[in-house]
Amino acid sequence: PATVVVLASGTGSLLNALLAAAREPGYPAKIVAVGVDRVCQATDHAEAAGIDHFRVAVKDYPDRAAWDHALTDAVAAYEPDLVVSAGFMKIVGPAFLERFGGRFINTHPALLPSFPGAHGVRDALAYGAKVTGCTVHLVDGGVDTGPILAQEAVDVLPDDDEAALHERIKVVERRLLAQVIAAVATRGIVSDGRKAEIPDERAHR
Ligand code: GAR
């Protein structure tokens, strides 16, 4: 199977979904380590699953570039085929992208290019969007600007608050992210820089 390092910062429910998917027989990817940038629950999920984990916190480095190099080295130690940001709330720097560009996948809780950034759900609600969703994309040097691999829509309901809407989006995200990682692990990504596609199953047979 393809080897994957997952980066996370929060409750780690997406990580947990990936760990569950990876336990299914025949799942084509194996999570070899979990990296975090702060003390968070994601570490507990890794620990419970018996998977290596590491923390590289910005505050432990003199500047952002030193943190970027340290994160790059910590991930590179596992020589992963893919790196997945599953609720990792930091923007990686040029060293990380140099090393893992084209195989670093993020999931975002909005339909990009709408509502990028740290508050995708809150911003969609505040705008009055009637439909939002989630986007799985390759990470480039911008904030949630990289080539899109997959998206799914989620309706905004009249009484939604941020927590309720985010939870409905995450239900979709957990499934979509596991599907995309499996597809990429099996069939790879074809990208011209702006657009990216996962070749379809027929083309692969
Ligand atoms: C997910 O909705 C993910 O898309 C989002 O954080 C949540 C993590 O949930 N990421 C971003 O907003 C990145 N800009 P979790 O901690 O329950 O896995």
Side-chain angles (χ1 to χ4, degrees):
T3 55
V4 181
V5 171
V6 178
L7 301 179
S9 303
T11 61
S13 76
L14 299 184
L15 165 66
N16 235 1
L18 291 179
L19 289 168
R23 277 194 290 268
E24 294 289 320
Y27 192 77
K30 177 181 159 67
I31 298 170
V32 292
V34 174
V36 300
D37 68 307
R38 63 188 76 170
V39 175
C40 65
Q41 274 170 270
T43 305
D44 305 337
H45 298 313
E47 185 77 34
I51 286 170
D52 276 10
H53 51 85
F54 57 86
R55 182 166 79 234
V56 185
V58 172
K59 67 171 170 49
D60 295 335
Y61 295 88
D63 55 35
R64 212 46 198 221
W67 172 78
D68 182 38
H69 278 103
L71 182 69
T72 304
D73 290 347
V75 174
Y78 291 93
E79 297 183 5
D81 298 309
L82 296 172
V83 185
V84 175
S85 159
F88 189 63
M89 300 305 282
K90 285 279 181 303
I91 304 297
V92 301
F96 196 94
L97 290 174
E98 168 113 359
R99 180 88 186 216
F100 298 111
R103 53 204 177 100
F104 182 29
I105 292 169
N106 180 46
T107 176
H108 181 75
L111 292 176
L112 295 172
S114 290
F115 314 118
H119 305 290
V121 180
R122 188 187 305 171
D123 294 346
L125 267 180
Y127 197 90
K130 307 301 182 226
V131 177
T132 183
C134 55
T135 303
V136 179
H137 66 98
L138 280 172
V139 180
D140 67 7
V143 178
D144 300 325
T145 53
I148 292 169
L149 295 168
Q151 293 185 300
E152 254 181 66
V154 173
D155 285 336
V156 180
L157 302 180
D159 293 331
D160 265 340
D161 60 14
E162 185 179 355
L165 178 56
H166 199 171
E167 190 46 45
R168 283 209 316 291
I169 292 172
K170 285 209 263 183
V171 170
V172 177
E173 264 189 301
R174 292 176 193 124
R175 173 179 46 74
L176 188 65
L177 184 60
Q179 284 172 351
V180 169
I181 291 168
V184 171
T186 312
R187 309 198 296 274
I189 297 170
V190 177
S191 176
D192 67 5
R194 179 54 266 170
K195 293 190 195 172
E197 304 293 340
I198 302 167
D200 69 19
E201 241 149 329
R202 260 180 317 162
H204 196 71
R205 277 188 207 130

